[in-house]
Amino acid sequence: MVVRLTASELETGRRLVARKMGRSVVRILPEADDLVAINRITRQIRELLWRRDNPDNMRACRALVREQARLSLAYERRHGKAPNIKHV
């Protein structure tokens, strides 16, 4: 039995549950794997913006925004559509 996981399932840790319960092969869709990375950076940006009075946080935020843009463009080239992380 093969279990395919979406980005939201991967993020919540169901991959480990699927492995333990089914003892089956777990395949992560490439789209989901890319979306998780973009989503993690988005969360880090939000956390840094909450403490924007620190100049170091703003420098780190700018660097993360550039990295997120690079990952988004790579996702779009690879999958032919813009990343949609609202459901992740």
Side-chain angles (χ1 to χ4, degrees):
M1 177 180 189
V2 174
V3 179
R4 289 182 183 248
L5 299 176
T6 62
S8 58
E9 292 168 335
L10 178 65
E11 189 66 26
T12 57
R14 293 186 187 167
R15 176 182 179 192
L16 297 174
V17 174
R19 275 195 173 160
K20 287 181 182 178
M21 292 183 67
R23 305 235 184 261
S24 60
V25 177
V26 177
R27 292 188 184 148
I28 302 167
L29 298 174
E31 290 181 31
D33 202 24
D34 294 340
L35 285 175
V36 168
I38 295 170
N39 191 36
R40 281 194 184 127
I41 290 176
T42 304
R43 286 183 192 168
Q44 289 174 344
I45 290 169
R46 274 194 223 124
E47 289 173 10
L48 289 171
L49 286 176
W50 274 106
R51 295 180 299 275
R52 70 179 80 180
D53 54 342
N54 186 349
D56 292 334
N57 285 350
M58 293 311 295
R59 276 190 288 266
C61 186
R62 286 185 194 103
L64 286 173
V65 167
R66 285 191 296 271
E67 180 66 17
Q68 181 188 26
R70 188 187 67 76
L71 287 174
S72 295
L73 288 173
Y75 179 90
E76 193 169 346
R77 275 193 309 267
R78 208 174 291 138
H79 304 290
K81 58 184 176 181
N84 182 8
I85 58 169
K86 292 182 183 190
H87 67 280
V88 176

